[in-house]
Amino acid sequence: MKKGLLIILTVATLSTPCTVFADTIDTLHDRIETQEQKCEDLFDTLCDKDDSLDNAKTKYNRVKKQYNKIKKHTKHNSKKFKKARAKFLKAKKALNRAKKSYKTYSKKYDTAYSKVEKYQESYDEYMQDYVLHHSDDVRAFSYAYNNYFVFSERQWEVVASNFQVYVCNELDINVFMTTSENFTAEDFGWYNTDTNTLAINMENNKDNEVFNTVAHECRHAWQYTQEEFTDNFNNYIKADTDLGLYFNQPVEKDASNYASDMCNTLETLGY
């Protein structure tokens, strides 16, 4: 556990309570899911229409070939010719219906997909702002975890700081966080017991990897409030002493499991 200069990263907050936005998030999210399901249903139907069109084309080409052969060698007032012509016209009509039906559902699918894109754009715009201004809603961090590619490096510092506040509230602890330290190239982060500070190296915590590190280090801060981990901290095994023992000691296993569970939750919530 290292010592270092404390530089607190300010958490941005809105004056409007988080609950005001709750219905908006779920409404936007549910609207996308509903529209996506509609697209899936239309796509399945479109595939069926495509198969029907292929079958109609195959039948039409076969009947046309038979009709042209009879047309060439049979009198046009014969029953055989009239029967072949009727069969050909029926196949042609069926082909035209299949083409029209496919075109109709193709247009319906394109329209539905355009709505998905439109809804997704509105949702992304709303959620990106929401994530940067809230630290008390797990849905915000689920969105950031699953859509990490939309945030800049500076925005990730804000997201990480907001997430640290969220995890600390979950663990009922109060610690500070800094992203400014004398990090080495190998450092991901640490918890400083002397300053009660999490130090997070953003260079080594790209995109949604930062959620794991923040949760892990917050868990270490929580462990210091629990007597069951006192003996381990008094006999802490550093990574450069024995890497295997380091990962298998109780404080590291507990912190790793907690962080993993937290990240799994963020992923599976699906925002």
Side-chain angles (χ1 to χ4, degrees):
M1 305 303 171
K2 301 183 179 180
K3 297 181 180 180
L5 178 65
L6 171 62
I7 303 176
I8 304 174
L9 185 64
T10 303
V11 180
T13 57
L14 289 178
S15 58
T16 308
C18 185
T19 52
V20 173
F21 297 86
D23 290 342
T24 304
I25 292 175
D26 287 334
T27 297
L28 291 172
H29 188 259
D30 291 345
R31 185 170 66 170
I32 291 172
E33 288 193 334
T34 299
Q35 192 63 27
E36 285 179 336
Q37 183 59 56
K38 184 176 181 179
C39 279
E40 289 182 14
D41 293 341
L42 284 170
F43 183 76
D44 290 340
T45 302
L46 188 60
C47 289
D48 291 339
K49 296 298 180 182
D50 187 48
D51 290 340
S52 296
L53 180 57
D54 285 341
N55 292 334
K57 286 179 180 178
T58 300
K59 185 175 181 178
Y60 170 78
N61 289 330
R62 185 179 71 251
V63 172
K64 182 181 178 182
K65 185 177 180 181
Q66 293 172 346
Y67 170 65
N68 286 335
K69 185 178 180 180
I70 293 173
K71 182 180 178 181
K72 185 177 180 181
H73 301 288
T74 307
K75 292 181 179 181
H76 291 186
N77 61 352
S78 66
K79 289 183 179 182
K80 186 176 182 180
F81 172 79
K82 290 178 180 180
K83 184 177 179 181
R85 186 173 185 276
K87 192 175 181 180
F88 166 71
L89 293 176
K90 184 178 179 181
K92 184 177 181 180
K93 188 175 182 179
L95 176 60
N96 288 334
R97 283 199 307 268
K99 286 180 178 179
K100 184 177 181 181
S101 182
Y102 178 82
K103 185 176 181 180
T104 297
Y105 277 91
S106 180
K107 186 175 181 179
K108 286 182 178 181
Y109 174 78
D110 289 342
T111 300
Y113 189 78
S114 294
K115 285 186 178 181
V116 170
E117 291 182 322
K118 181 181 178 181
Y119 294 163
Q120 187 68 52
E121 184 178 350
S122 297
Y123 176 71
D124 286 340
E125 182 179 350
Y126 186 89
M127 288 302 294
Q128 286 165 31
D129 180 72
Y130 187 81
V131 169
L132 297 174
H133 293 82
H134 290 79
S135 60
D136 55 356
D137 193 338
V138 68
R139 296 172 304 175
F141 305 115
S142 174
Y143 176 84
Y145 187 92
N146 292 314
N147 300 273
Y148 58 87
F149 45 84
V150 302
F151 297 99
S152 66
E153 289 186 7
R154 174 53 190 158
Q155 287 175 326
W156 267 116
E157 291 192 15
V158 178
V159 173
S161 184
N162 286 347
F163 183 62
Q164 177 259 333
V165 173
Y166 172 79
V167 176
C168 285
N169 288 336
E170 288 290 303
L171 294 171
D172 195 23
I173 58 175
N174 184 27
V175 300
F176 302 107
M177 174 177 158
T178 177
T179 58
S180 300
E181 274 285 0
N182 295 320
F183 295 113
T184 68
E186 292 78 27
D187 289 329
F188 282 81
W190 60 72
Y191 169 60
N192 187 331
T193 58
D194 293 339
T195 60
N196 190 33
T197 305
L198 301 181
I200 304 298
N201 184 3
M202 297 303 293
E203 288 298 317
N204 283 346
N205 288 281
K206 296 299 183 182
D207 303 327
N208 62 6
E209 293 175 2
V210 73
F211 289 106
N212 187 288
T213 301
V214 169
H216 184 105
E217 298 306 330
C218 282
R219 187 66 170 183
H220 280 321
W222 172 83
Q223 289 168 349
Y224 274 97
T225 68
Q226 309 298 310
E227 291 185 4
E228 63 181 289
F229 296 105
T230 301
D231 183 61
N232 190 172
F233 280 126
N234 290 336
N235 299 278
Y236 188 79
I237 303 171
K238 295 182 178 181
D240 55 5
T241 300
D242 189 308
L243 193 60
L245 293 177
Y246 165 79
F247 282 119
N248 281 304
Q249 59 189 325
V251 293
E252 291 302 332
K253 289 178 69 175
D254 176 74
S256 295
N257 289 337
Y258 177 80
S260 178
D261 289 343
M262 179 66 75
C263 289
N264 287 337
T265 297
L266 297 181
E267 182 178 6
T268 54
L269 278 175
Y271 282 91

